[in-house]
């Protein structure tokens, strides 16, 4: 098994190119069959906690019991997904050969030489949206809490006195909001839009002061990709390690908990005898893959993160399309393939 640890986002959308079989090329087009690589995408959520200066008084003055009491950073595993991504197998490179009388012989290949179609236009499916890192930060006004400090708060000597004054200011703001909403304020905003602006300003002040007691929490989301090229069944293979303090780590870094993969072939082609292999190698035609299948799990000691089934080219075999299929000028044949696996998709005549 081959492991490759790379940051997301993944590869760009597949590009395809039309190759025409001409006399100059001997009426042949060279292509590659893929081998299966599995890309495990891991979502990691980073939480940043910052304690407010008055956290010791959060429960006393505001009744808050879960205030942030110290600055800290922690990581959590989010969603784990799997992508089946074929990569060219340099040992399986062939040439699509056509006779000179074949009608409009052409082939579509991906930019790395994987077979898409023969005698048929091919449009790659739309690429999935790339994973983008996300950030959920506290309101900017919360960070600038000092902008709403009153003179009394700034002049308060001890931390305990500052907390008491800040709490009174919070309750005063709440009373002001309630008076405006109930119409009991002495100077009400002239219209509904002005009321929204005033309420918003009061909420901003309240949030900024409250954060001095409760602290702030923000999150950042990032993505990591681990590529696996399986050659056989896997049992408790360590993909990577994960730490709530450090995040995603290499498989050999003992600073984190291991994340395992189990992969078991559910459909596997029987091995050919030397005589069968020799006979098949002499056959002429357009070679394509018949992938096998495997069930897989990704898990930690305590949690199952992913479970599913996927096609594995390495567990399958190959077959051939006879060149004579493309020699009928009255009924030209169109053939489509799955470029990620090299499997036959559709034949249209």
């Amino acid at each position: 098994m081959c492991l490759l640890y790379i940051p997301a986002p993944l590869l760009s959308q597949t590009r395809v190119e039309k190759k025409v079989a001409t006399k100059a090329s001997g009426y042949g087009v060279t292509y590659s069959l893929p081998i299966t690589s599995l890309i495990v995408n891991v979502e990691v959520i980073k939480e940043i906690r910052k304690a407010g200066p008055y956290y010791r008084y959060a429960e006393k003055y505001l009744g808050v019991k879960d205030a942030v009491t110290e600055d800290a950073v922690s990581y959590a595993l989010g969603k784990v997904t799997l992508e089946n991504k074929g990569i060219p197998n340099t040992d399986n490179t062939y040439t699509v050969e056509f006779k000179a009388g074949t009608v409009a012989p052409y082939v579509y290949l991906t930019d790395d030489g994987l077979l898409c179609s023969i005698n048929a236009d091919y449009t790659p499916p739309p690429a999935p949206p790339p994973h983008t890192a996300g950030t959920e930060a506290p309101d900017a006004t919360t960070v600038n809490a000092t902008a709403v400090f009153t003179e009394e708060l700034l002049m308060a000597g001890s931390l305990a006195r500052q907390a008491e004054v800040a709490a009174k200011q919070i309750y005063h703001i709440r009373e002001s909001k309630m008076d405006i909403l109930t119409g009991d304020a002495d100077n009400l905003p002239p219209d509904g839009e002005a009321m929204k602006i005033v309420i918003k300003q009061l909420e901003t002040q309240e949030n900024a002061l409250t954060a001095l007691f409760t602290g702030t929490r923000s999150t950042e989301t990032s993505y990591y990709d681990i590529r696996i090229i399986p050659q056989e069944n896997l049992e408790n293979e360590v993909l990577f390690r994960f730490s709530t303090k450090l995040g995603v780590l290499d498989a050999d870094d003992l600073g984190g908990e291991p994340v395992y993969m189990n992969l078991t072939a559910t459909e596997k082609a029987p091995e050919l005898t030397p005589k069968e292999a020799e006979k098949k190698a002499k056959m002429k035609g357009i070679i394509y893959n018949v992938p096998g299948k495997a069930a897989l799990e990704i898990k930690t000691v305590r949690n199952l993160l992913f479970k599913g089934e996927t096609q594995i080219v390495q567990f399958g075999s190959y077959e051939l399309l006879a060149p004579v299929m493309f020699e009928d000028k009255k009924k030209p044949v169109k053939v489509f393939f799955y470029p990620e696996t090299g499997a036959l998709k559709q034949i249209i005549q």
Side-chain angles (χ1 to χ4, degrees):
M1 183 186 74
C2 176
L3 289 177
L4 178 63
Y5 172 76
I6 53 177
L10 274 177
L11 309 175
S12 59
Q13 182 175 3
T14 300
R15 293 178 297 172
V16 296
E17 185 176 355
K18 185 177 181 178
K19 301 286 187 180
V20 179
T22 62
K23 184 177 181 180
S25 63
Y27 295 101
V29 175
T30 300
Y31 68 96
S32 295
L33 289 178
I35 58 174
T36 296
S37 69
L38 302 176
I39 299 175
V40 179
N41 179 261
V42 182
E43 180 186 61
V44 177
I45 302 167
K46 176 182 178 182
E47 183 182 38
I48 304 166
R49 299 184 296 277
K50 293 184 178 296
Y54 309 147
Y55 72 87
R56 292 186 179 88
Y57 308 97
E59 185 174 2
K60 177 180 179 181
Y61 290 123
L62 301 182
V64 176
K65 297 182 179 180
D66 60 347
V68 178
T69 58
E70 61 180 353
D71 294 352
V73 174
S74 63
Y75 297 83
L77 278 175
K79 189 176 182 181
V80 175
T81 58
L82 184 79
E83 180 186 1
N84 190 317
K85 185 72 176 178
I87 57 176
N89 184 353
T90 55
D91 294 331
N92 285 336
T93 299
Y94 307 96
T95 299
V96 181
E97 294 181 350
F98 302 93
K99 289 189 176 181
T102 302
V103 178
Y106 63 93
V107 173
Y108 270 92
L109 304 177
T110 65
D111 55 352
D112 50 3
L114 298 180
L115 189 58
C116 300
S117 66
I118 299 175
N119 286 347
D121 292 335
Y122 180 86
T123 301
H131 295 291
T132 54
T135 301
E136 181 182 333
D139 193 307
T141 53
T142 301
V143 179
N144 300 321
T146 54
V148 295
F149 282 4
T150 62
E151 181 180 1
E152 183 182 4
L153 180 58
L154 292 171
M155 296 297 292
S158 65
L159 199 64
R161 175 58 182 163
Q162 290 175 5
E164 181 182 359
V165 173
K168 289 181 178 179
Q169 191 171 343
I170 290 171
Y171 287 114
H172 177 69
I173 292 172
R174 291 177 180 176
E175 290 174 0
S176 298
K177 284 198 304 179
M178 184 59 67
D179 288 343
I180 292 173
L181 292 173
T182 59
D184 294 334
D186 293 335
N187 296 306
L188 287 172
D191 54 44
E193 190 61 33
M195 178 181 291
K196 289 181 182 179
I197 294 173
V198 172
I199 293 296
K200 180 63 177 178
Q201 290 175 343
L202 290 173
E203 287 177 345
T204 297
Q205 295 174 17
E206 180 185 351
N207 292 336
L209 289 167
T210 301
L212 298 174
F213 293 87
T214 61
T216 60
R217 301 172 189 263
S218 61
T219 60
E220 298 175 2
T221 303
S222 55
Y223 297 88
Y224 299 86
D225 296 324
I226 299 93
R227 171 173 282 172
I228 311 106
I229 303 176
Q231 301 296 341
E232 56 188 5
N233 290 343
L234 304 175
E235 184 176 357
N236 288 338
E237 187 74 28
V238 179
L239 287 180
F240 62 96
R241 291 177 183 266
F242 183 79
S243 166
T244 57
K245 294 183 178 180
L246 302 173
V248 172
L249 304 173
D250 290 336
D252 58 355
D253 190 331
L254 301 182
E257 177 186 5
V259 177
Y260 302 102
M261 171 179 277
N262 290 330
L263 185 146
T264 306
T266 55
E267 293 182 18
K268 192 171 185 179
E271 291 190 17
L272 299 177
T273 65
K275 187 175 181 179
E276 290 171 332
E278 182 182 359
K279 181 180 179 180
K280 201 165 189 177
K282 292 179 180 179
M283 296 173 65
K284 298 293 184 179
I286 297 165
I287 299 174
Y288 62 92
N289 285 331
V290 181
K293 289 184 179 180
L296 57 89
E297 293 180 341
I298 300 172
K299 63 180 183 178
T300 64
V301 174
R302 293 178 294 275
N303 299 314
L304 179 64
L305 303 175
F306 179 89
K307 183 175 183 179
E309 187 178 56
T310 190
Q311 293 184 319
I312 305 289
V313 168
Q314 293 86 308
F315 292 167
S317 60
Y318 67 90
E319 294 293 341
L320 299 93
L321 294 175
V324 70
M325 291 177 56
F326 303 95
E327 296 175 8
D328 190 337
K329 296 181 180 181
K330 295 181 180 180
K331 297 180 179 180
V333 172
K334 299 180 180 181
V335 185
F336 295 88
F337 299 87
Y338 294 102
E340 299 298 343
T341 61
L344 181 64
K345 181 179 182 180
Q346 188 179 26
I347 298 177
I348 302 175
Q349 188 168 23

